[in-house]
Amino acid sequence: MNAHVLADTLGDAPTVSDWVSVDQKMIDSFADCTNDHQWIHVDRARARDEGPFGSTVAHGFLTLSLLSSLSYDCGAWPERLGTIINYGLDRLRFLAPVKAGSRVRLRAKLKDIEEKAPGRLLVRHHSEVEIEGEETPALVAETVILLILDEAKA
């Protein structure tokens, strides 16, 4: 499979995931995992009374970490495509806070496919994590994935 065939397979219409709830339990677990216990994330009373958002909010990197599962959920990758490796991000911006109890989803659009070597493709998506009921997305990024196609493993 070359870049042109893959582009036809992936299509050029945006793909959209299901909504995922970002609750306080998820935020607290992420804080424990990363040792980032800043009060805007974990202290409900202080965040409500003193915080700029009126409640606790998810870590930006928690929202970012959801990109992997959301990209599978939205069908951005055909099944049995090969090995999908996170290659990085370009132009990442955190635009709006994700308040505890919010729901988010991914809207991804294929931007570019570049053949790096036979059977190895660099795929770029314009990715936005939307917050249910909000105009501004939580984050916008260009995600970069290295695909090692199944046929290249032989």
Side-chain angles (χ1 to χ4, degrees):
M1 178 182 299
N2 63 30
H4 297 297
V5 173
L6 181 62
D8 291 343
T9 302
L10 295 176
D12 52 27
T15 57
V16 181
S17 73
D18 290 333
W19 292 104
V20 171
S21 294
V22 180
D23 60 15
Q24 190 62 48
K25 182 178 177 184
M26 180 187 288
I27 294 169
D28 292 341
S29 294
F30 191 84
D32 289 342
C33 181
T34 60
N35 291 321
D36 180 354
H37 294 93
Q38 184 182 15
W39 63 269
I40 64 170
H41 304 304
V42 297
D43 188 332
R44 293 179 187 130
R46 186 172 177 194
R48 181 191 64 237
D49 297 340
E50 300 175 34
F53 309 115
S55 71
T56 55
V57 294
H59 306 70
F61 285 119
L62 166 55
T63 306
L64 179 63
S65 73
L66 295 173
L67 281 178
S68 290
S69 65
L70 293 174
S71 69
Y72 289 112
D73 180 56
C74 74
W77 306 110
E79 288 187 36
R80 291 182 235 162
L81 183 65
T83 303
I84 300 168
I85 299 172
N86 183 354
Y87 198 78
L89 300 160
D90 291 333
R91 299 179 188 91
L92 169 65
R93 294 293 180 265
F94 297 103
L95 301 176
V98 177
K99 295 179 180 181
S102 295
R103 294 189 336 154
V104 298
R105 70 179 178 187
L106 173 64
R107 181 177 300 275
K109 182 164 176 44
L110 180 64
K111 187 174 177 184
D112 186 50
I113 301 174
E114 173 188 351
E115 188 166 17
K116 297 298 283 182
R120 292 178 182 256
L121 304 174
L122 211 55
V123 179
R124 296 175 186 274
H125 279 97
H126 173 81
S127 299
E128 296 186 12
V129 175
E130 302 173 331
I131 307 166
E132 188 174 41
E134 300 287 335
E135 292 277 327
T136 305
L139 68 82
V140 175
E142 182 177 296
T143 55
V144 186
I145 303 296
L146 178 64
L147 295 180
I148 303 172
L149 301 174
D150 281 338
E151 64 192 23
K153 292 180 182 179

